[in-house]
Amino acid sequence: MSRLPAPMGLLIDRDQPLRFSFDGSDYQGVKGDSIASALLANGRWLLSRSFKYHRPRGPLTMAGQDANTLVQLPDEPNVLADAHPLSAGMDVTGQNFNGSLDNDRDAYLGTFSRFMPVGFYYRSFYKPKGMWKVWEPLIRKKAGLGVLDLKFQPQYYDKAYLFVDLAVIGAGPAGLQAALTAANAGAKVLLIEQQAVLGGSLTYARFDVEGTRAERLRGELVAAVEGHANIQVLKQATCNAWFSDNYLPVIQGRRMYKVRAQQCIVSAGSFDQPVVFRNNDLPGVMLASAAQRLMRLYAVKPGQRAVLLTGNDDGYLAALDLHEQGVQVAALVDMRQQPADMALQSAVAKQGIACHLGSTVFEALHEKGMRHVSGVDIRRITAQGQVAEQGLQLDCDLLCMSAGYMPVYQLLCQAGGKLAYDEQKAEFAISGLPQGLAVAGSANGRHSLDNVLLDGTLAAARAVAALGLDAGIGERAFSGEARVNFDWPIFPHPKGKDFVDFDEDLQVRDIVNATRIGYRDVQLVKRFSTVGMGPSQGRHSALPTARLVARATQRSIGETGVTTARPPFEAEKLAHVAGRAFDPYRQTPMHRRHIQAGAKMMPAGIWQRPAFYGKAEDRERCMQEEARHVREQVGLIDVSTLGGLDVRGPDAAELLERMYTLPFKKQPVARTRYALMTNEQGVVIDDGVCARMADNHFYVTATTSGVDRIYQQMLKWNAQWRLNVDITNVTAAIAAVNLAGPLARQVLEKLCEDVDLSPEAFPYMGVRSGTVVDIPARLLRVGFVGELGYEIHVPARHAERLWDMLMAAGAAFGIRPFGVETQRLLRLEKGHVIISQDTDGMTHPGEIDMQWAIGRKKPFFVGKRSIEILEAQPLKRKLVAFTLPKDSPQPLEGHLVLKGADISGNVTSCEYSSSLGQIIGLAYAATDQAEPGMQIPIRVEGGLVVQANVVQLPFYDPQNLRQEL
Amino acid sequence: MKIMNCPLNGPRNISEFTYGGEFKLMPDPASCSDAEWADYVFNSDNAAGVVREWWLHNASSYWFLAERHTVTDQIIRTFDAKEIFTQRVEFTPPTQEIAG
């Protein structure tokens, strides 16, 4: 198949043939072809079958903007044939047909269209209830698009980040001019273009009778842009959305650029609009711009004998293009009474082209099988949307149409831009853009080339001014220009098939009927009829739909508007947006030792901690053995995850007085004190110990999961209080262990020489600074597990050595490590609550017997006033201790406590204690169930109710003798 | 993604910040009524218009204030809390406690 001579064929290299196949037949294209241009060059027009009626379809836009060109590649479905580059050996097939693309057995569906009115599927298959499940697979198969290759080879997709002064979206005349103007003023510019070449309409359209200006101008602009040091160009790249403050996802190949632009100009152009008439979807019926693209970009002659239907002067220029390339133009049909520029009419007439003014194509004609347009029925327009009874029939194999333009408004509307309909120009215009975003060129309603260029210049001048630069350009006036939109290019036919939406096979009556059924709002019309929901997302259907809905509901087109534009602008692959999954977790600096010792690890907040040491299936035995070891000998637990805050400064004690419930000003140096924190609602949110290291220095511990929040709260309060204090979160800098058990002192004595460890010199609740062998350490005597114990806090880098030295020194005393689950059992035996396990978002100190921890004489602490108010009210529930016999079913956390038919509380902790030989636990219960000696019914697994005995805390060592040894 | 101008760190992506609630001044806890205190603790104005809010820059743990229009989501300005809290805040002990 021969191609048109140069300069036609901007994108192709005639010397590099490429063989490929489509639907089983072999074809030859050339390098630079799209799949569709190569097929059209071979005379193959039927590329797909329509979604609903299986009508034959060929390219409409030749710009990747319509669903007619969706084809199947072996590893990729729903490929746009007019946008996808051809490659050697490509195996392309059609999709959505039954039998073959040329002889689709489902094409009969078109003849049933009057039985498939708008909303057909909703109305026919959803009743009776449940029937949709039966119908859906059958309907989906009939309407199915491509097929996924389940054996696909994963490919690498990545992200890149760009930061620029100005992003220009669309490299047509306005975009090129804007980029140049801004770059010349010193701005760093990113120019984003969907096509493989720069120039936009300059690459395919004609702007003057001579037909020379576009190419000359394009050459000048592109040379200046591509050589400019301040301009980065991304070709074959799509800005697929606009997000706040010009955050732009730009997809190019297998990469997504996340672009942050200080200023952004959208010069994305406008979409050529089809005319609505019967059979306007036949292969061979295409937009005038599509025929121009075929010739100028691919050197493909779009037909032998053409009819051109237009509503503006551009149609005359397209007719001249066709004529020059040897296409016989049988008629130029202008819907207007006359062209705006009469010189065009004489230029066309000079070529022997007949003009039919005030007329339209009423029906595109075809032969059996509807495989290609074969002629037109031309009628005079008698009134809006109405035509004369009789017309003129002409043969043709190409029908080009252009009803006007719709701005590419999608990104602008995502940014909050509003569309208003200008009745004078019959065009939508955009306003209300946020700061830093502008629109230029035909997207801004400028259509003459001089105005487009000036609009680009002025938009860039304003953008660089906002950047603090000067383009040295004053405001200049635009020249007048002719209207480009015909106000009513819709000609309903009594027999229908006058398509408004090609993707969804929607005809004029479908839209009108949707309004008659009661859907007046264009958003509802969309949802009911599915107009604009197809792959082309309303690029060609939004304008006629707005017009039809407006007229059917007696409103203005401006009032009717268009449906909401949302990202993405065009289809994007999940691979483009998918990221690597991060599941961050933290390990303590002793982590390796736990693994080596065979620990079963568990998550604790974002930390990994040893649950116990042994196999998962030996949980119960390991826990009980470890617990007994702590009670009888000595154990070692890694408590590095405990939060640590260093509070220093003259107001350190004052800050803690305000943050925690107890007073701290009179706390002696070298002593620790329990610290309970409530929020402003009086709810208990954290606890720990405050160790006073010096007058102006406290070391405060916080819960593993709470410390970050507590730290932030301290900083937030002190942003208001302005106390002279410095707060540092030292959690990660410090590693800690708890050496616990009756033999703990003997173990530590072997390693610590500079601290007198005797009970008299270093009593319970004391804190000392010293060294463990040679490691500087803070030693805290605490009693969380209820035995003699030393928390040893050291710089994290010494963690493993500390662990090793303690294990070695303890060997003679039978030391063994114990895990978090064992610790939870041990503390439960002592009745110590764990904040956020035994408390919830409502717990105040009175409910957990913590009134003793309230510093009532302090003028203030966070939560004080709320606690006072709560305490003045009757208590609603209370945390109680309960026991059950060893052989009873064991309640789990969350099991309900009952009171008659009501729920009065829930279990928060429950374990079997081998030290006590019974099941022990904590639970919320009603206040009149909470006295020791009472029984509370707990509903356990399987609905069984057990009667638990309420007892006094602690379960173990009630005199607290052991921890104070 | 939105950009917020941190008074300490300059303009950063909004994902680096945490919202810290509506800014409101605490009534004097020693003298206000229960109803006033409850209103302060539990109720938010949720106004449509320019509001003052607490924001935290996560990476630097820095709290500051922002004035933001809740309808347009435009951040009008951000500033350090010391612009409002010009001096050390003191709490006076309730008189009956001292008497007791």
Side-chain angles (χ1 to χ4, degrees):
Chain A
M1 198 78 186
S2 67
R3 301 272 179 144
L4 297 168
M8 298 297 107
L10 182 65
L11 293 179
I12 59 165
D13 180 352
R14 291 170 172 77
D15 299 332
Q16 293 201 55
L18 301 174
R19 297 209 66 82
F20 70 105
S21 71
F22 180 68
D23 249 23
S25 302
D26 289 330
Y27 295 96
Q28 186 172 307
V30 296
K31 190 166 192 290
D33 260 329
S34 66
I35 296 168
S37 70
L39 286 168
L40 265 52
N42 284 276
R44 170 82 208 193
W45 282 73
L46 199 172
L47 299 190
S48 70
R49 290 276 170 174
S50 74
F51 185 65
K52 194 161 143 195
Y53 302 137
H54 289 245
R55 288 170 66 90
R57 291 282 168 82
L60 174 71
T61 64
M62 281 310 292
Q65 289 153 9
D66 60 288
N68 290 356
T69 66
L70 289 178
V71 294
Q72 172 87 43
L73 295 183
D75 56 354
E76 196 176 348
N78 307 324
V79 168
L80 290 165
D82 55 343
H84 200 288
L86 184 72
S87 59
M90 204 172 234
D91 178 17
V92 188
T93 48
Q95 55 188 35
N96 193 32
F97 55 80
N98 179 8
S100 76
L101 192 55
D102 286 324
N103 294 294
D104 184 346
R105 286 198 284 273
D106 287 343
Y108 70 89
L109 282 166
T111 59
F112 282 99
S113 66
R114 70 193 170 94
F115 303 114
M116 296 165 75
V118 63
F120 169 70
Y121 293 107
Y122 290 135
R123 294 199 285 179
S124 308
F125 297 100
Y126 271 90
K127 288 176 186 174
K129 196 166 183 272
M131 277 312 282
W132 177 246
K133 287 221 179 320
V134 177
W135 286 110
E136 189 189 11
L138 299 170
I139 293 168
R140 287 229 184 272
K141 198 170 173 205
K142 288 279 179 243
L145 291 172
V147 181
L148 274 180
D149 174 19
L150 296 177
K151 290 191 221 107
F152 76 102
Q153 289 298 309
Q155 287 180 308
Y156 187 78
Y157 285 69
D158 68 4
K159 312 269 194 295
Y161 296 81
L162 291 175
F163 299 86
V164 296
D165 295 332
L166 171 66
V168 178
I169 299 166
L176 290 168
Q177 185 69 45
L180 260 183
T181 306
N184 285 338
K188 202 175 130 200
V189 179
L190 179 69
L191 180 60
I192 300 153
E193 170 55 44
Q194 266 192 311
Q195 303 299 323
V197 289
L198 301 183
S201 59
L202 297 176
T203 63
Y204 62 86
R206 183 176 183 132
F207 292 89
D208 54 348
V209 172
E210 295 72 34
T212 52
R213 191 176 174 201
E215 187 50 37
R216 198 175 58 241
L217 180 62
R218 194 183 85 84
E220 288 163 16
L221 287 173
V222 171
V225 162
E226 294 201 320
H228 208 297
N230 284 349
I231 303 177
Q232 181 181 359
V233 178
L234 291 179
K235 291 180 200 168
Q236 291 174 291
T238 305
C239 178
N240 229 6
W242 184 95
F243 296 117
S244 293
D245 293 329
N246 293 333
Y247 196 49
L248 311 168
V250 179
I251 293 172
Q252 186 191 45
R254 291 206 293 270
R255 169 170 292 177
M256 177 188 273
Y257 288 95
K258 297 186 178 180
V259 179
R260 181 70 85 173
Q262 293 195 54
Q263 296 285 317
C264 179
I265 296 173
V266 174
S267 46
S270 49
F271 295 122
D272 206 0
Q273 295 291 297
V275 181
V276 180
F277 54 87
R278 177 166 164 82
N279 294 333
N280 59 348
D281 65 329
L282 287 176
V285 180
M286 59 169 38
L287 297 171
S289 59
Q292 289 177 303
R293 284 178 204 264
L294 267 175
M295 296 186 290
R296 293 209 176 260
L297 301 180
Y298 304 107
V300 172
K301 192 175 172 181
Q304 301 303 322
R305 190 177 147 88
V307 169
L308 216 143
L309 171 62
T310 188
N312 55 39
D313 284 1
D314 293 347
Y316 290 74
L317 295 164
L320 291 175
D321 270 343
L322 287 165
H323 179 80
E324 274 175 22
Q325 297 307 320
V327 181
Q328 186 199 346
V329 181
L332 192 156
V333 183
D334 191 337
M335 294 181 279
R336 302 168 298 174
Q337 293 305 320
Q338 61 179 55
D341 182 356
M342 297 306 289
L344 286 171
Q345 194 180 5
S346 49
V348 168
K350 205 187 289 177
Q351 306 302 332
I353 299 170
C355 279
H356 301 261
L357 298 175
S359 302
T360 185
V361 171
F362 185 49
E363 178 178 0
L365 308 171
H366 58 82
E367 284 159 8
K368 192 171 179 296
M370 295 199 302
R371 292 202 188 95
H372 205 86
V373 62
S374 65
V376 290
D377 180 357
I378 299 170
R379 304 276 181 100
R380 281 201 65 77
I381 300 170
T382 55
Q384 191 189 63
Q386 289 174 27
V387 297
E389 286 299 313
Q390 298 296 320
L392 167 72
Q393 296 207 352
L394 288 178
D395 288 344
C396 68
D397 65 352
L398 174 67
L399 172 53
C400 299
M401 56 184 171
S402 176
Y405 300 96
M406 184 72 167
V408 179
Y409 59 80
Q410 283 79 358
L411 295 180
L412 299 159
C413 287
Q414 288 169 25
K418 298 278 173 283
L419 281 178
Y421 191 75
D422 181 338
E423 299 278 352
Q424 207 58 45
K425 295 168 76 180
E427 223 179 328
F428 274 109
I430 292 159
S431 61
L433 297 177
Q435 275 189 353
L437 178 64
V439 54
S442 71
N444 196 28
R446 310 281 179 195
H447 298 286
S448 85
L449 194 46
D450 290 321
N451 281 348
V452 165
L453 292 170
L454 178 58
D455 205 23
T457 304
L458 295 180
R462 284 189 290 270
V464 297
L467 292 166
L469 299 169
D470 184 9
I473 289 160
E475 286 291 322
R476 275 184 267 158
F478 291 95
S479 47
E481 54 179 68
R483 185 166 117 166
V484 295
N485 277 17
F486 186 69
D487 60 2
W488 197 265
I490 303 170
F491 304 95
H493 194 284
K495 291 201 279 182
K497 300 298 184 309
D498 37 18
F499 289 100
V500 173
D501 187 328
F502 299 99
D503 304 9
E504 303 279 336
D505 275 347
L506 292 167
Q507 311 162 60
V508 170
R509 64 168 173 238
D510 293 324
I511 306 299
V512 174
N513 285 344
T515 65
R516 293 203 180 132
I517 290 166
Y519 299 103
R520 292 167 53 85
D521 188 314
V522 73
Q523 306 281 4
L524 298 177
V525 170
K526 170 182 173 176
R527 281 154 184 77
F528 183 65
S529 68
T530 70
V531 65
M533 286 194 188
S536 63
Q537 289 285 292
R539 284 164 173 71
H540 309 108
S541 61
L543 186 52
T545 300
R547 286 169 170 158
L548 285 167
V549 172
R551 193 167 77 167
T553 59
Q554 284 94 47
R555 285 177 299 170
S556 73
I557 293 163
E559 280 177 289
T560 306
V562 300
T563 57
T564 310
R566 296 187 181 84
F569 173 66
E570 62 176 29
E572 66 188 19
K573 294 178 181 176
L574 288 175
H576 279 123
V577 287
R580 296 162 189 83
F582 289 109
D583 188 10
Y585 58 86
R586 298 175 78 176
Q587 295 175 338
T588 79
M590 299 164 192
H591 184 81
R592 285 195 300 175
R593 293 293 180 265
H594 307 318
I595 300 300
Q596 287 158 0
K600 169 79 180 75
M601 303 303 285
M602 62 177 264
I606 64 164
W607 291 92
Q608 290 192 311
R609 300 192 67 182
F612 50 86
Y613 294 79
K615 291 197 180 70
E617 57 270 28
D618 295 332
R619 174 182 183 272
E620 196 58 30
R621 185 178 59 77
C622 292
M623 272 176 62
Q624 300 298 344
E625 279 179 18
E626 287 173 13
R628 195 158 51 243
H629 217 77
V630 174
R631 294 270 178 255
E632 292 168 8
Q633 288 163 278
V634 60
L636 186 66
I637 182 169
D638 179 358
V639 293
S640 301
T641 63
L642 207 62
L645 301 173
D646 253 346
V647 182
R648 295 173 195 254
D651 284 330
E654 177 67 26
L655 179 89
L656 298 180
E657 288 244 319
R658 296 183 185 192
M659 293 304 307
Y660 289 97
T661 56
L662 279 167
F664 293 94
K665 280 185 183 162
K666 291 178 188 156
Q667 180 184 347
V669 171
R671 293 284 291 175
T672 67
R673 177 168 287 179
Y674 179 70
L676 182 73
M677 188 181 283
T678 55
N679 63 13
E680 282 196 298
Q681 285 109 59
V683 171
V684 174
I685 55 169
D686 206 66
D687 71 349
V689 297
C690 288
R692 192 163 205 169
M693 309 307 293
D695 269 348
N696 290 347
H697 178 200
F698 286 83
Y699 177 55
V700 186
T701 66
T703 59
T704 296
S705 55
V707 62
D708 291 333
R709 198 174 61 242
I710 300 313
Y711 173 58
Q712 288 177 0
Q713 284 305 306
M714 287 187 180
L715 294 173
K716 187 182 180 188
W717 280 113
N718 205 39
Q720 301 163 63
W721 296 335
R722 323 277 346 156
L723 299 177
N724 188 358
V725 63
D726 188 52
I727 310 159
T728 315
N729 186 346
V730 295
T731 304
I734 288 181
V737 293
N738 185 12
L739 180 69
L743 306 179
R745 183 177 289 120
Q746 284 152 272
V747 176
L748 193 56
E749 272 168 352
K750 291 176 72 172
L751 302 172
C752 183
E753 291 180 352
D754 57 357
V755 177
D756 183 349
L757 297 177
S758 68
E760 300 74 29
F762 186 6
Y764 180 60
M765 300 294 278
V767 57
R768 298 290 181 271
S769 291
T771 50
V772 178
V773 186
D774 57 347
I775 304 171
R778 291 170 182 170
L779 307 176
L780 283 71
R781 269 204 66 181
V782 294
F784 191 50
V785 299
E787 300 293 339
L788 169 66
Y790 298 89
E791 267 186 18
I792 307 168
H793 295 241
V794 302
R797 64 183 181 278
H798 300 300
E800 285 188 346
R801 215 153 53 81
L802 176 73
W803 181 269
D804 293 342
M805 291 193 302
L806 286 166
M807 289 300 288
F813 306 93
I815 193 170
R816 62 182 284 180
F818 64 102
V820 176
E821 294 226 29
T822 308
Q823 186 190 41
R824 286 186 184 167
L825 166 63
L826 293 168
R827 68 86 206 178
L828 181 59
E829 290 175 344
K830 282 299 294 175
H832 292 147
V833 299
I834 295 179
I835 306 299
S836 82
Q837 173 165 336
D838 301 306
T839 69
D840 56 33
M842 302 285 282
T843 307
H844 59 87
E847 292 182 341
I848 55 172
D849 277 331
M850 286 277 190
Q851 294 95 328
W852 62 267
I854 310 293
R856 297 183 188 279
K857 291 187 182 167
K858 293 198 290 185
F860 175 84
F861 63 84
V862 178
K864 179 168 190 276
R865 182 65 201 265
S866 291
I867 289 170
E868 286 165 1
I869 293 171
L870 286 164
E871 285 183 333
Q873 296 169 1
L875 203 58
K876 290 196 182 71
R877 61 171 188 173
K878 213 165 165 346
L879 189 70
V880 300
F882 69 83
T883 62
L884 280 163
K886 184 179 180 175
D887 55 359
S888 160
Q890 185 179 324
L892 302 176
E893 289 160 25
H895 277 166
L896 299 178
V897 177
L898 306 175
K899 184 182 164 189
D902 295 332
I903 296 162
S904 60
N906 61 280
V907 175
T908 63
S909 294
C910 189
E911 295 288 355
Y912 171 70
S913 164
S914 59
S915 312
L916 301 165
Q918 56 188 349
I919 294 167
I920 59 172
L922 297 173
Y924 283 98
T927 47
D928 57 2
Q929 296 177 303
E931 290 302 315
M934 290 180 168
Q935 286 203 319
I936 48 172
I938 299 173
R939 194 164 70 193
V940 298
E941 213 70 353
L944 196 70
V945 174
V946 296
Q947 297 292 333
N949 301 307
V950 176
V951 299
Q952 192 80 46
L953 278 177
F955 299 102
Y956 176 78
D957 185 23
Q959 275 74 53
N960 293 330
L961 299 174
R962 301 182 63 85
Q963 65 199 23
E964 293 175 18
L965 276 172
Chain B
M1 191 188 310
K2 206 169 176 56
I3 289 177
M4 182 174 241
N5 187 43
C6 172
L8 187 65
N9 302 285
R12 317 290 303 174
N13 284 342
I14 198 73
S15 59
E16 292 188 21
F17 297 89
T18 300
Y19 173 64
E22 212 168 77
F23 172 80
K24 38 189 175 180
L25 285 169
M26 182 192 287
D28 180 1
S31 63
C32 72
S33 69
D34 286 1
E36 283 170 333
W37 184 256
D39 181 57
Y40 161 70
V41 168
F42 292 107
N43 294 336
S44 288
D45 284 342
N46 197 26
V50 177
V51 297
R52 272 189 183 169
E53 299 169 333
W54 282 104
W55 283 83
L56 169 73
H57 182 245
N58 302 327
S60 58
S61 292
Y62 171 69
W63 285 100
F64 59 94
L65 293 164
E67 284 173 1
R68 187 176 69 90
H69 199 293
T70 54
V71 177
T72 61
D73 197 25
Q74 193 193 349
I75 298 166
I76 289 122
R77 75 182 187 116
T78 56
F79 54 100
D80 192 280
K82 66 172 173 264
E83 199 175 293
I84 289 173
F85 299 97
T86 52
Q87 55 187 355
R88 181 188 162 110
V89 173
E90 299 292 352
F91 293 96
T92 47
T95 44
Q96 71 271 24
E97 290 276 338
I98 290 172

